[in-house]
Amino acid sequence: MTISSLTKIFEPIQINSMELKNRLVVPAMGTNLANPDGTVSERLNHYLVARADGGFGLIITEITAISPYGKGIPNQLSIWDDKFIPGFKDLAKATHARGAKIAVQLYHPGRQSFSFLTGRTLVAPSAIPCPVCREIPRELSVEEILELEEQFAEAARRAKEAGMDAIEIHGAHGYLVAQFMSGHANHRSDAYGGDLEGLLRFPTDIIHKIRETVGPDYPIVFRLSGEERVAGGRTIQETKTIIPLLEQAGVNAFHVSIGVYGSFRYIVAPMAIPPGYNVNAAAEVKKATSMPVIAVGRINDPRMAEEILKEGQADLVSMGRASLADPELPKKTAEGNYEDIRWCIGCNQGCIDRPLHSRKAGISCLVNPSMGKEREMAFTPASRSKKVLVVGGGPGGMEAARVAALRGHEVYLYEKEEKLGGQFNLAAVPPCKQEITKIINYLSVQIKKAGVKVALGKKVTEKIIHELQPEVVIIATGASPLIPEIPGVRGERVVTAHDVLRGKVPPVRRALIVGGGMVGCETADFLGEIMGCRVTLVEALPRVAQDVGDATRYFLLQRLAQNKASIITSALVKQLTNDGAILDRNGEEETLSGFDAIVLAMGVAPVNELAVKIQGKIKEMYVIGDAKQPRKALDAIAEAAEIGRKV
Ligand code: SF4
């Protein structure tokens, strides 16, 4: 074991009376893991406690409702009544036993919710709808505002009574407190709007009331967006003017995030946005306060966190999605064990893209299938060691092999290519996708460490299976491009998106891409951004990149537009010609021509002939991932993790 050379992130720090053992924070992230009645569920408890176990100094609960009508997600964690105290007590006890501290984030969504969740018409400072949620809220009366302030204070009292170490007021991301603070959402002309003093009345009243309730020593953290990044929203310069006023009101630390729902893509910035993109806002806030400042925003690497602290840009660092991907990141960092860290790759597939408002099962993580299922998916040693053959070294095959080997099985992994990674090797080629290689590297190292015997460049045949005599075969052979039976599809200039990403297609000047899903759009992005090619993209649906999450999609389409890609939607390709295609657009025929390459991106088909051949000849056989049914990588890896635990 080596010891980390990082020191700053492991220094203790004080926030009012709370002493933290280090400067690594798990920020509030909506998980939907609470019980339907709003109490702390076992799953939520285990999820949070796992992060304490992993060495984080401070853990902040997800958005926690201070009012029964302040719901933003179905399984809304709540603290609006004393009945919620016992769950928080257990949480505090378990967290403290692991040397960490825990805070409750006090939240009300205001206009950024839906009445089917709140059970009432939404409320806000002004009757202006959120541009994303679109419901017109009712303007709060002064009596209602005073009642909400009391509810915030009462929620803080309960947090303190439960033994929670601090509260964080959620004044960021465009929720109710932020709505009052921003001219973007607050058009009031009474004491709760207008000038700076009016815009800050609601938050400062809340801070005063909480302070009166919890006493002078109890830590109050205030989370706010340094920049809102919408027309009329707060800029970082304006944020700097309000910081001293919030500090005077009684705030003990500032947690500097970014954005509102109208600029959601920055709140949960995808791979296209560089790590640490919001640190500058924390650094600016730090110039305006003497209180500790927490930086947040795609800070995934502890070495980056160390630099942020060393350079004095912040005093603590939140590592949200990084903590989902690997709850043990601090522990592994302290041991200098970077190759064992499972890196967040900013894909957003598990934690953001599955709509939180309708999600029943809670969030998950592409690289960490145990996320939110810490107890259910804990390893149990195999009752008997079996010989397991995994066919296919993509992410699913590697994850299944890793888990099975860690449980004590003798695992062989055969991959027909000369390197591991499968379809992820191609997924990492388009612009802004390179972080995918981190998970390939992680799994490649981990299977070797777990003792998996890896054979590269070997296609598994019945003969190999006969020689190896495995008791279990896991088929993870992935998928190959679907070639639809369109007239002209065997033409000389017709290639697949996989061919392009594999580098098998010589540079072309103009390319026609057939299929505008994720693969088609990313291939267009690669050709336009990297190869300088003029691209035309044809999609049958009314929208391209329909299968891509909103934040990722936004930046992908932005790059396509910058590279002047021509996008044709609601068009069916009837025939491919020598240099183009004949389309059916709403019953009208249209011919496209003059292309050097016609690139098919029309989906993939499972590769599973081996499964058909050995069916019935092997006692235990599983077909997983795309070999079973082409799906998102998130689903393939989750399935692999389950099978690895089952064999
Ligand atoms: Fe990171 Fe993707 Fe996991 Fe979300 S799902 S935490 S973005 S790796």
Side-chain angles (χ1 to χ4, degrees), residues 101-250:
K101 297 284 162 62
I102 184 156
V104 183
Q105 188 186 61
L106 306 183
Y107 150 93
H108 191 295
R111 66 180 189 165
Q112 284 187 175
S113 185
F114 300 95
S115 46
F116 76 86
L117 290 169
T118 59
R120 286 190 171 182
T121 303
L122 303 182
V123 291
S126 303
I128 304 167
C130 157
V132 176
C133 299
R134 291 166 183 256
E135 285 189 34
I136 299 176
R138 185 172 58 72
E139 181 175 307
L140 284 160
S141 68
V142 171
E143 292 70 36
E144 288 173 315
I145 292 173
L146 294 172
E147 190 188 341
L148 281 163
E149 291 172 1
E150 291 300 333
Q151 286 175 322
F152 270 97
E154 275 296 282
R157 171 189 61 80
R158 292 183 195 107
K160 190 179 178 193
E161 266 180 47
M164 303 296 273
D165 302 286
I167 58 98
E168 176 174 85
I169 299 169
H170 200 343
H173 303 166
Y175 294 120
L176 184 66
V177 175
Q179 285 158 33
F180 270 94
M181 288 161 60
S182 174
H184 172 58
N186 184 349
H187 291 191
R188 296 179 77 101
S189 53
D190 63 5
Y192 292 91
D195 59 7
L196 190 60
E197 199 187 336
L199 294 176
L200 287 186
R201 188 171 311 277
F202 184 57
T204 49
D205 280 0
I206 290 172
I207 297 163
H208 287 137
K209 286 182 183 171
I210 289 178
R211 182 58 73 211
E212 275 165 29
T213 309
V214 297
D217 300 333
Y218 196 68
I220 299 176
V221 181
F222 197 92
R223 193 173 210 202
L224 80 175
S225 297
E227 297 175 281
E228 294 191 314
R229 297 217 176 174
V230 283
R234 214 177 44 249
T235 63
I236 187 65
Q237 290 315 324
E238 288 162 339
T239 295
K240 281 173 76 176
T241 62
I242 67 173
I243 291 292
L245 304 173
L246 294 170
E247 182 177 335
Q248 270 168 30

Side-chain angles (χ1 to χ4, degrees), residues 406-456:
L406 288 174
R407 291 184 52 235
H409 293 302
E410 183 188 353
V411 182
Y412 295 78
L413 185 146
Y414 279 53
E415 164 56 48
K416 70 173 171 28
E417 303 291 340
E418 291 296 340
K419 62 176 182 179
L420 292 165
Q423 293 179 80
F424 262 28
N425 289 318
L426 298 185
V429 172
C432 307
K433 298 289 298 289
Q434 285 61 50
E435 283 182 67
I436 285 179
T437 55
K438 287 183 167 183
I439 188 65
I440 303 174
N441 293 343
Y442 167 79
L443 286 169
S444 305
V445 168
Q446 297 306 311
I447 57 174
K448 280 171 197 154
K449 279 189 156 184
V452 175
K453 295 167 189 73
V454 177
L456 296 178

Side-chain angles (χ1 to χ4, degrees), residues 390-394 396-398 400 415 474-479 607 622-627 640:
V390 178
V391 187
M398 286 198 279
E415 164 56 48
I474 299 173
I475 309 268
T477 37
V607 173
Y622 304 94
V623 182
I624 64 168
D626 281 6

Side-chain angles (χ1 to χ4, degrees), residues 468-523:
L468 204 60
Q469 290 289 310
E471 290 175 79
V472 183
V473 176
I474 299 173
I475 309 268
T477 37
S480 61
L482 193 70
I483 312 290
E485 283 309 319
I486 307 171
V489 80
R490 314 273 165 222
E492 260 179 35
R493 296 185 187 184
V494 179
V495 295
T496 65
H498 284 208
D499 293 333
V500 172
L501 298 175
R502 256 186 237 280
K504 283 187 169 175
V505 178
V508 289
R509 219 172 26 86
R510 290 191 66 205
L512 173 66
I513 299 194
V514 183
M518 180 177 77
V519 173
C521 288
E522 288 183 351
T523 306

Side-chain angles (χ1 to χ4, degrees), residues 321-322 324-325 343-352 364-367:
R321 284 174 284 174
L324 302 182
W343 303 104
C344 166
I345 56 171
C347 66
N348 281 358
Q349 272 193 28
C351 56
I352 305 294
S364 58
C365 172
L366 181 139
V367 302

